[in-house]
Amino acid sequence: MDLPHLRPNCNLRVCGDDVPSKVPLSSLPDEVLLAFISKLERIHADAIDAIRESVLCLDAVEAVIAGCCGSPSVVRHLRQTSSLLAHLQAVNLLDTATNPTCYVEFGAGRGQLTKSLTEAVTDTSKALFLLIDRGAQRYKYDTKLKYNHNINVKRIRVDIQHLNLEGVEGIGGYRHIVGLGKHLCGSASDLALRCLCQHPGTEVAGVVLALCCHHRCVWDSYCGLEVLQGLGVVPSEFYILTALTGWATCNSRDVPSKEEMTSEPQNSDGFEMNPSQEEHPKLLSPKVTMTEKKLMDNRYTRLNLSAQHREEIGRKAKQVLDYGRMQYMCEQGFECSLVQYVARDTTPENVALIASRVAR
């Protein structure tokens, strides 16, 4: 079957011969780990600005929250959706009556974000809602949306790595493309950004991505490598940087994180279902023996790396990776910012990348 939207590996970066190996933190000598932590803190102090809080609300979603009788988890997701869509509104990307737009939700899952988006745009008849996910989903919101003849919704089951937007039927009939994603894990965020920036047709007007799972970033898709190298991060340090990001959300207790026990970052187009690690099963630390835990505890104590200090280091590592993504988008002609789009008690993965096309 001919699938024009499917072009193998079209959103991967062409790698040279300097592909680094994946090394777990637990195998690094103490002096190597401490030297890179010192380097990371210098880079962060010199180049990274504080990420401002920007919690916005969209009236259409807030009305749903006000009448919601669901679980606290449902409300938390709606608050995230409200702020993400309000950021689209703030840069005038919901006005489909004036600018017919194709909205592409990456890692769409059940499509809750798109469902709310259909209630937020000014004219649904002038929009195409495209949901991208590599997995099969049950209880999809878009199943019901298809019965509304004023809403044009299309779901494509494909890995973002292989998605060629130019081959999507009907996308050329819209003035703008807008990308969005809620908790787009690791390398899926980079693949989505590259997918949008490589699209040669309809202008990409903007992007709103809630970022997460930085330990899943991988060398052949991360879009900010040149930026990292400009900051002084060498290829052999890339997976040390990604592994340290696990400390931001996995080390509130003095136990080893998944990134310390394994060297395999996962590639996923999924999105976070709940705001805590305990409710995000794919990120749970593996079972460790008492001997392994004691070894890690002893190492942390010996290196003076308390849980609080590790969390701070992890957040700085995440911010450096997100800075690389932001600079990549700036180089592609977008005006960009990183914001804390919800409070940390809503989700610890509370940073979003906001990008809108600079007027020509």
Side-chain angles (χ1 to χ4, degrees), residues 100-161:
T101 301
C102 171
Y103 294 95
V104 185
E105 183 184 356
F106 295 96
R110 293 174 57 206
Q112 183 260 332
L113 183 59
T114 289
K115 191 260 185 185
S116 296
L117 176 63
T118 64
E119 299 165 356
V121 299
T122 55
D123 188 344
T124 55
S125 68
K126 295 183 178 180
L128 169 62
F129 302 96
L130 183 62
L131 296 95
I132 305 298
D133 201 285
R134 69 179 184 181
Q137 299 291 330
R138 300 175 64 192
Y139 311 115
K140 298 185 291 288
Y141 286 96
D142 42 302
T143 300
K144 294 181 179 179
L145 294 177
K146 289 180 179 178
Y147 292 105
N148 187 329
H149 298 299
N150 290 322
I151 298 177
N152 186 5
V153 59
K154 184 190 301 270
R155 177 179 284 267
I156 299 179
R157 185 178 176 183
V158 63
D159 193 308
I160 304 170
Q161 176 176 323

Side-chain angles (χ1 to χ4, degrees), residues 41-48:
E41 292 185 319
R42 287 196 303 272
I43 290 172
H44 189 275
D46 292 343
I48 311 301

Side-chain angles (χ1 to χ4, degrees), residues 218-329:
V218 295
W219 177 261
D220 59 358
S221 62
Y222 177 66
C223 59
L225 279 181
E226 291 78 8
V227 179
L228 288 188
Q229 291 169 357
L231 295 173
V233 178
V234 300
S236 62
E237 295 171 329
F238 178 77
Y239 284 116
I240 302 176
L241 178 63
T242 61
L244 286 176
T245 66
W247 287 2
T249 53
C250 296
N251 284 322
S252 58
R253 302 171 307 278
D254 281 322
V255 297
S257 69
K258 180 178 181 179
E259 292 67 54
E260 294 167 313
M261 303 304 295
T262 179
S263 61
E264 289 296 323
Q266 302 293 316
N267 182 10
S268 170
D269 293 357
F271 63 93
E272 185 186 38
M273 290 302 297
N274 288 289
S276 70
Q277 165 138 14
E278 287 72 20
E279 297 169 310
H280 199 336
K282 289 185 179 181
L283 298 185
L284 287 174
S285 299
K287 292 181 180 179
V288 294
T289 66
M290 290 301 295
T291 301
E292 289 171 326
K293 182 181 184 302
K294 187 174 181 179
L295 285 173
M296 297 306 299
D297 286 345
N298 289 343
R299 189 187 198 197
Y300 292 149
T301 301
R302 177 164 41 80
L303 299 180
N304 197 27
L305 292 171
S306 66
Q308 183 177 359
H309 188 194
R310 295 199 307 276
E311 287 180 4
E312 182 182 345
I313 292 167
R315 285 194 293 271
K316 289 178 178 178
K318 291 163 79 74
Q319 289 171 15
V320 168
L321 287 167
D322 288 340
Y323 174 81
R325 290 163 163 165
M326 181 179 71
Q327 292 302 313
Y328 169 80
M329 293 301 289

